[in-house]
């Protein structure tokens, strides 16, 4: 066999299994699509659009539904000569302040981000702004100048707006720009957030206008994920490449954890990749994706997440993770902070470093907790006031990630211990 051949095994089109792939038709979001459409209907009538706030966990279709509905809207609007609809779409992932959002908005108008087929329909001759160095007022004035020039009906979509945290001035300014700055336009703002807390923490004056209409996306249930996955596999995989139960298992795992379609798709893709690799290695074109591949995929993805999460840990964070993992390997978690700290101290000294004070160590445990690598366990009902922790990922994943890290030294014992205690399979 040649080193590279184009033999067909399992995956027909890997791009379609990309969690960011946008399918042409959406399943399981009919209610949201209709609700969305009803909020946007005033635009078609030539009325001023509503401001709209959308929230719900990550991976549940907020962005794809928005893009789908806006595309439909743009298409419908074409029939009406008296409506001039300008859409500006901004993803706020890389903005942490209102100032940055304003700069990025101006630049999206002047030079739309062409990378991902943005919904943005406008462009302008003016020069883009640099990221820093202007007075905030100047940036907003530039923005109003552009909006005034665009005219007509303007819809501004701010996706992942929760990135601006408490600095929500832009959300106060934009919906009021029409009246405060005398813009002869019809202006609507759609804010999309992955974080419900953000909605709660908005200042009252922002809530009043931005959240004039709002709706919530529910996480997907297992049956809904099954339909989404099944549809995806029709074009992404060759026929009859899945054992029964694979879609169900991927959906159940994602539904139990997050209800995220992104997570379900990622799991399915990883399972398909593991099966394909096995098919190629064993030269077996009849290989199917099985539930075992899905289980292995879960571990592998978790491992990737731990590895990813470990990137910006200091060496102390890593030793604390090692300490907690070694308790897990002994089948002795959840474990109290005091014992974690003792073991961490021993480990650090063994690798000839100086341990942190208790307080510092605890900050690192909190960080692991925030990254969902470990979790704190409710100790209510037990006597005394103390924290207990356990791994929030499979022991196997944590061990593999630790073993793969070259900065912490040899860890042969860890895996042996875990195997002896039957917490991982041999
Ligand atoms: P959110 O914006 O809520 O974080 P997205 O809209 O980006 O989530 O959805 C994540 C991915 O999940 C999308 O790129 C898409 O591939 C898939 N997806 C989500 N909802 C659906 C759906 N109803 N039908 C098909 N695919 C979906
Ligand atoms: Mg999104």
């Amino acid at each position: 066999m040649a080193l590279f051949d184009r033999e067909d095994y399992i995956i027909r089109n890997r791009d379609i299994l990309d969690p960011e792939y946008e399918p042409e038709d959406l399943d399981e979001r009919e209610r949201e699509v209709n609700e969305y459409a009803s909020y946007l209907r005033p635009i078609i009538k030539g009325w001023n659009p509503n401001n709209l706030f959308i929230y719900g966990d990550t991976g549940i279709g907020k962005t794809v539904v928005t893009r789908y509905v806006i595309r439909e809207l743009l298409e419908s609007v074409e029939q009406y000569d008296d409506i001039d609809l300008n859409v500006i779409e901004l993803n706020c992932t890389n903005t942490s302040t209102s100032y940055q959002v304003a700069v990025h908005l101006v630049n999206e108008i002047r030079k739309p981000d062409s990378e991902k087929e943005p919904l943005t329909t406008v462009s302008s001759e003016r020069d883009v702004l640099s990221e820093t160095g202007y007075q905030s007022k100047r940036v907003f004035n530039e923005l109003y100048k552009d909006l005034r020039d665009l005219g007509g009906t303007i819809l501004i979509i701010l996706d992942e707006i929760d990135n601006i945290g408490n600095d929500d001035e832009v959300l106060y300014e934009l919906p009021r720009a029409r009246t405060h700055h005398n813009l002869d336009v019809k202006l609507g703002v759609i804010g999309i957030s992955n974080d419900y807390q953000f909605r709660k923490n908005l200042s009252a004056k922002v809530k009043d206008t931005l959240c004039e209409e709002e709706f919530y996306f529910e996480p997907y249930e297992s049956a809904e994920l099954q339909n989404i996955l099944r549809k995806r596999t029709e074009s992404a995989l060759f026929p009859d490449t899945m054992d029964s139960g694979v879609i169900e298992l991927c959906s159940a795992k994602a539904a139990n954890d997050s209800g995220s379609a992104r997570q379900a798709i990622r799991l399915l893709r990883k399972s398909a990749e593991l099966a394909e690799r096995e098919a190629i290695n064993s030269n077996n074109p009849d290989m199917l994706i099985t539930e075992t591949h899905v289980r292995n995929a879960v571990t592998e993805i978790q491992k990737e997440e731990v590895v990813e999460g470990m990137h910006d840990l200091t060496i102390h964070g890593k030793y604390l993770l090692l300490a907690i993992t070694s308790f897990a390997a002994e089948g002795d978690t959840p474990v109290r902070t005091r014992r974690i700290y003792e073991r961490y101290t021993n480990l650090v000294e063994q690798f000839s470093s100086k341990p942190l004070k208790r307080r510092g160590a605890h900050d690192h445990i909190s960080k692991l907790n925030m990254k969902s690598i470990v979790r704190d366990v409710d100790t209510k009902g037990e006597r005394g006031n103390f924290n207990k922790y356990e791994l929030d990922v499979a022991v196997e994943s944590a061990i593999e990630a630790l073993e793969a890290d070259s900065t912490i030294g040899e860890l042969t014992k860890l895996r042996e211990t875990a195997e002896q205690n039957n917490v991982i399979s041999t």
Side-chain angles (χ1 to χ4, degrees):
M1 195 178 70
L3 196 49
F4 298 100
D5 64 16
R6 301 191 68 171
E7 189 86 43
D8 294 336
Y9 288 97
I10 287 170
I11 301 172
R12 192 211 302 262
N13 185 341
R14 191 173 182 279
D15 293 348
I16 298 178
L17 288 181
D18 190 310
E20 297 314 314
Y21 173 83
E22 281 182 33
E24 237 158 71
D25 290 313
L26 297 174
D27 295 303
E28 308 300 343
R29 278 301 186 222
E30 209 174 324
R31 181 184 74 81
E32 287 77 3
V33 167
N34 287 331
E35 200 157 345
Y36 225 123
S38 75
Y39 290 128
L40 297 177
R41 204 153 286 136
I43 294 176
I44 281 281
K45 300 269 214 173
W47 300 337
N48 201 55
N50 298 320
N51 299 313
L52 179 58
F53 188 75
I54 305 233
Y55 60 98
D57 294 338
T58 166
I60 58 173
K62 299 184 301 300
T63 300
V64 282
V65 168
T66 301
R67 291 167 63 90
Y68 173 81
V69 174
I70 300 290
R71 272 199 216 97
E72 292 278 315
L73 175 67
L74 284 165
E75 212 167 285
S76 306
V77 157
E78 285 196 1
Q79 314 163 41
Y80 305 104
D81 291 338
D82 57 341
I83 295 170
D84 169 25
L85 176 61
N86 296 300
V87 176
I88 304 155
E89 181 196 32
L90 184 68
N91 185 304
C92 303
T93 308
N94 296 318
T95 58
S96 57
T97 62
S98 274
Y99 176 86
Q100 285 172 341
V101 170
V103 171
H104 284 229
L105 263 178
V106 170
N107 290 344
E108 178 68 20
I109 294 172
R110 298 184 178 183
K111 189 166 176 288
D113 176 3
S114 54
E115 235 171 60
K116 43 144 191 97
E117 291 181 58
L119 292 174
T120 303
T121 56
V122 302
S123 61
S124 142
E125 302 283 292
R126 296 206 175 93
D127 290 340
V128 298
L129 301 180
S130 67
E131 299 266 328
T132 53
Y134 306 99
Q135 298 267 316
S136 175
K137 196 156 176 240
R138 160 90 196 280
V139 177
F140 277 100
N141 281 337
E142 292 287 311
L143 180 58
Y144 301 140
K145 213 157 63 180
D146 286 341
L147 296 179
R148 199 172 286 127
D149 286 357
L150 289 174
T153 306
I154 302 173
L155 206 48
I156 299 179
I157 303 164
L158 301 173
D159 200 351
E160 316 229 356
I161 185 63
D162 40 307
N163 285 296
I164 63 172
N166 291 328
D167 181 3
D168 59 10
E169 184 199 357
V170 68
L171 297 179
Y172 174 75
E173 289 291 333
L174 277 180
R176 287 173 178 73
R178 205 166 75 94
T179 44
H180 285 188
H181 297 273
N182 222 352
L183 304 181
D184 184 20
V185 297
K186 300 185 169 94
L187 179 67
V189 179
I190 301 179
I192 306 172
S193 168
N194 289 325
D195 180 2
Y196 179 63
Q197 208 57 38
F198 176 73
R199 153 87 183 65
K200 272 183 31 194
N201 294 343
L202 285 173
S203 52
K205 55 183 191 178
V206 169
K207 240 182 259 179
D208 261 6
T209 41
L210 178 64
C211 310
E212 141 186 280
E213 310 265 15
E214 58 181 350
F215 73 103
Y216 168 66
F217 275 54
E218 304 261 353
Y220 288 113
E221 287 173 12
S222 190
E224 296 171 321
L225 291 174
Q226 286 179 28
N227 288 336
I228 291 173
L229 289 186
R230 209 160 273 129
K231 184 77 150 287
R232 201 59 78 99
T233 54
E234 278 168 17
S235 41
L237 303 181
F238 290 106
D240 305 320
T241 45
M242 277 183 296
D243 206 357
S244 64
V246 164
I247 297 239
E248 287 79 358
L249 187 58
C250 290
S251 306
K253 295 248 179 226
N256 281 339
D257 189 30
S258 63
S260 152
R262 188 180 288 121
Q263 185 183 18
I265 294 164
R266 191 170 170 210
L267 180 55
L268 181 71
R269 180 173 77 178
K270 181 61 82 181
S271 311
E273 284 169 354
L274 293 180
E276 185 168 84
R277 203 176 305 156
E278 204 177 319
I280 293 171
N281 289 342
S282 59
N283 203 1
N284 174 6
D286 299 327
M287 172 75 70
L288 298 180
I289 310 173
T290 63
E291 291 189 10
T292 308
H293 292 122
V294 178
R295 292 206 179 84
N296 292 338
V298 171
T299 317
E300 186 123 333
I301 288 173
Q302 280 188 353
K303 184 195 132 192
E304 286 166 9
E305 282 169 1
V306 185
V307 170
E308 173 92 357
M310 276 172 64
H311 276 320
D312 58 339
L313 291 182
T314 65
I315 194 75
H316 296 285
K318 289 173 186 176
Y319 283 129
L320 281 157
L321 176 59
L322 177 56
I324 297 169
T325 306
S326 68
F327 281 112
E330 291 158 17
D332 190 14
T333 47
V335 55
R336 286 179 63 165
T337 320
R338 181 178 54 75
R339 295 179 65 210
I340 298 172
Y341 183 72
E342 278 167 16
R343 187 162 294 185
Y344 151 81
T345 316
N346 287 336
L347 282 166
V348 172
E349 282 166 354
Q350 191 180 315
F351 290 104
S352 65
S353 285
K354 203 166 158 291
L356 295 173
K357 296 249 157 42
R358 205 174 275 270
R359 171 89 238 151
H362 199 260
D363 288 345
H364 283 277
I365 299 179
S366 299
K367 198 161 170 198
L368 291 170
N369 192 358
M370 232 157 57
K371 288 169 175 283
S372 299
I373 298 175
V374 307
R375 62 174 164 240
D376 55 347
V377 179
D378 194 359
T379 50
K380 270 196 232 88
E382 292 184 42
R383 268 191 304 139
N385 182 11
F386 49 81
N387 288 326
K388 279 188 170 182
Y389 290 91
E390 65 187 4
L391 289 176
D392 198 9
V393 296
V395 189
E396 175 83 57
S397 309
I399 292 179
E400 279 187 27
L402 286 163
E403 283 173 345
D405 190 296
S406 57
T407 55
I408 29 190
E410 279 295 311
L411 299 173
T412 40
K413 280 245 185 63
L414 191 57
R415 183 172 287 275
E416 264 173 44
T417 313
E419 282 167 3
Q420 279 158 12
N421 290 295
N422 288 322
V423 294
I424 59 173
S425 47
T426 43

